[in-house]
Amino acid sequence: MSVQRVISPIDGSVVAERPIATPDQVEAVLRRADAARAAWAATPLVERAAKVELAVQYMLDHADEVGLEMTVQMGRPVGQSPNEIRRGFQERARMRATLAPAALADLPASQKDGFQRFIRREPVGTVLVVAPWNFPYLTSINSIAPALLSGNTVILKHATQTILCAERYSAAFEAAGLPDGVFQHIHADHAAIASMIADPRIGFVAFTGSVEGGHSIQAAAASRFIGTGLELGGKDPSYVRADADLELAIAENVDGAFFNAGQSCCSIERIYVHESVYDDFVDGVRAETLKYVLGDPRDASTSIGPMVTTKAATFVRGQIDEAIARGATAITSEADFAGSRPGTPYVGPTVLVGVDHSMSVMRDESFGPVVGIMKVSGDDEAIALMNDSPYGLSACVWSRDVDAAVAIGDRIETGPWFMNRCDYLDPELAWTGVKDTGHGISLSPLGFDGVTRVKSFHLKLPG
């Protein structure tokens, strides 16, 4: 029997072990989801929203327990993990319920004598959500909530590193009284996922993960005319202008680079700073970074935990070594953090200066606690460097000039564009990406588009 194991990055222990679904079990899941579709789609939106709210409340009631589960599975400090539920998770789920009545309402056409005409949204059927480990609830709720609110059934496949999160979702929806088959989780391998995507009972696939994984999902869907939402890699840039509030920019860029050990698609991974404020900014970033306490994430004093695996940590260390060999300087390094342990997932947050785009650390997604800082002469140089990437998830500028921020944003190849903040998702605004970051929209009223199809009603009235 094949199994999936959760290996904790804290100490290498086995946290959980689950059998991988057999073809017969995959078929049973698809059959239950398909059987539940019609009744759930016919359930009034207000009742669907009430079930989602009950599940959210279950998660809030168990936030500390859920947070500790996350910490043990993927290494985020226990002082931070419960806030994934208490803040972003509940905010996004509840905002989707708030937006749903207008987003799902019929779209009227202009009045025409003798006719009634409108466009109606209907669910696509069953939505397959393939979720990542790094923000296991924040990322998945972006797809699960609109899918359920729209009247779809949902099958969740979580990353192997966080399979307990999938089980926690099922417990929440069971407590909410969701009808059988409306929400299910499955522990499956790549072959099973590919077979599900090829199955006509799946109407949409939402995937968050690597570019390589996105290509696999897209290839599996290529034989069918179904939609895919792909949030893939990022190498998100930050630009600190000469007129920036430096204290704010320093604190927020450091947090944006190193929260969750830098393991976020929208982490700040490269920073461009105007030459007139460069030295002060670099000094401030060094001082702010040295405040981190690297250690066991179950310890309340820890502010940055281990990376998810030793393999991931080895890649980041390799980027750092290559940059230094090419002339970069580490103004903070592993030597500055007592919790660093070479050859383990415990990587001290590293800030590099003297970097350029010939180095992997400024080109390739790091997904870890390292950031490079480059000096620039002005907006044009910063824009050119920010766009010099195969990725385009989010980007930000630090400035007191709103007009300049908008003008620069118009020239940046990105999804969301921020001024004086970063590493944030606003549930009322569209979350999307360009280039190798993928395609599709989550959040905002537009986030319902992928999980619904439109049907036009053109009714010639009697007489």
Side-chain angles (χ1 to χ4, degrees):
M1 178 181 65
S2 298
V3 299
Q4 292 181 332
R5 293 183 179 87
V6 181
I7 307 298
S8 177
I10 299 173
D11 54 12
S13 62
V14 177
V15 175
E17 187 175 272
R18 298 290 186 271
I20 295 174
T22 65
D24 286 345
Q25 290 169 329
V26 171
E27 169 60 26
V29 167
L30 288 167
R31 190 166 52 245
R32 283 194 295 270
D34 194 55
R37 282 174 48 190
W40 181 245
T43 301
L45 173 58
V46 65
E47 295 181 24
R48 297 197 297 258
K51 296 295 188 186
V52 171
E53 171 58 27
L54 287 172
V56 169
Q57 192 56 55
Y58 170 94
M59 297 295 282
L60 289 170
D61 291 343
H62 296 81
D64 287 332
E65 181 182 348
V66 171
L68 181 58
E69 283 179 354
M70 276 192 282
T71 292
V72 172
Q73 289 175 92
M74 46 77 67
R76 187 188 307 144
V78 73
Q80 301 166 6
S81 292
N83 288 332
E84 181 165 335
I85 301 300
R86 293 194 175 107
R87 295 178 184 171
F89 173 85
Q90 63 87 16
E91 178 188 35
R92 295 179 194 182
R94 287 171 168 166
M95 181 55 67
R96 302 318 290 262
T98 299
L99 296 174
L104 300 174
D106 292 345
L107 300 173
S110 61
Q111 187 174 347
K112 187 175 181 180
D113 289 345
F115 292 89
Q116 183 178 353
R117 302 176 303 151
F118 59 91
I119 300 170
R120 175 161 290 171
R121 292 185 183 275
E122 60 183 26
V124 296
T126 297
V127 173
L128 174 62
V129 178
V130 184
W133 54 264
N134 60 322
F135 285 92
Y137 294 104
L138 288 185
T139 52
S140 51
I141 197 62
N142 292 346
S143 302
I144 291 171
L148 291 175
L149 290 165
S150 300
N152 298 283
T153 55
V154 171
I155 300 171
L156 170 64
K157 189 276 177 189
H158 232 299
T160 299
Q161 194 68 37
T162 46
I163 55 178
L164 296 182
C165 297
E167 296 176 5
R168 182 65 70 169
Y169 261 118
S170 286
F173 284 119
E174 182 179 358
L178 211 63
D180 182 59
V182 173
F183 178 91
Q184 301 172 85
H185 75 268
I186 188 168
H187 302 314
D189 58 18
H190 295 307
I193 294 302
S195 72
M196 293 172 73
I197 295 172
D199 193 286
R201 288 167 290 189
I202 294 295
F204 183 81
V205 183
F207 172 78
T208 305
S210 68
V211 174
E212 180 183 8
H215 280 296
S216 296
I217 295 292
Q218 195 65 46
S223 63
R224 300 185 55 224
F225 300 117
I226 62 169
T228 57
L230 307 174
E231 183 187 325
L232 311 176
K235 192 70 181 175
D236 288 7
S238 173
Y239 171 34
V240 181
R241 297 183 81 231
D243 66 338
D245 177 338
L246 275 191
E247 183 178 357
L248 173 68
I250 289 165
E252 292 297 308
N253 274 269
V254 170
D255 182 68
F258 297 132
F259 185 81
N260 203 38
Q263 297 170 123
S264 171
C265 294
C266 56
S267 289
I268 297 299
E269 293 207 3
R270 48 200 177 105
I271 305 174
Y272 306 99
V273 184
H274 192 275
E275 58 191 5
S276 65
V277 295
Y278 177 84
D279 290 340
D280 289 341
F281 180 82
V282 167
D283 289 344
V285 166
R286 181 178 189 278
E288 189 71 18
T289 302
L290 291 175
K291 294 177 183 178
Y292 278 96
V293 177
L294 174 66
D296 189 323
R298 295 167 297 188
D299 188 329
S301 67
T302 294
S303 55
I304 185 169
M307 293 185 64
V308 68
T309 63
T310 299
K311 179 180 178 181
T314 298
F315 175 79
V316 169
R317 288 185 172 111
Q319 283 190 315
I320 295 168
D321 291 344
E322 186 243 22
I324 291 172
R326 287 175 171 267
T329 300
I331 61 169
T332 71
S333 69
E334 294 208 63
D336 295 309
F337 300 92
S340 292
R341 304 177 204 165
T344 77
Y346 289 84
V347 180
T350 301
V351 180
L352 297 168
V353 296
V355 293
D356 60 49
H357 280 215
S358 72
M359 302 171 185
S360 171
V361 76
M362 297 299 284
R363 295 191 322 269
D364 305 316
E365 185 174 34
S366 301
F367 219 68
V370 59
V371 67
I373 306 176
M374 283 185 67
K375 183 187 299 184
V376 296
S377 59
D379 294 349
D380 288 342
E381 184 181 8
I383 291 166
L385 289 167
M386 294 171 86
N387 286 338
D388 183 26
S389 172
Y391 302 107
L393 181 52
S394 74
C396 58
V397 65
W398 305 83
S399 175
R400 302 176 195 269
D401 188 334
V402 176
D403 291 339
V406 172
I408 295 168
D410 283 336
R411 298 170 62 188
I412 299 296
E413 298 163 354
T414 188
W417 170 246
F418 299 106
M419 173 182 173
N420 296 335
R421 78 177 314 170
C422 60
D423 192 22
Y424 176 76
L425 281 70
D426 184 326
E428 291 191 75
L429 298 178
W431 186 254
T432 186
V434 299
K435 299 190 281 191
D436 279 355
T437 289
H439 66 84
I441 299 172
S442 62
L443 305 182
S444 83
L446 300 176
F448 288 89
D449 290 355
V451 294
T452 57
R453 63 171 63 94
V454 295
K455 179 184 290 184
S456 294
F457 285 71
H458 193 155
L459 312 176
K460 184 175 183 179
L461 302 179

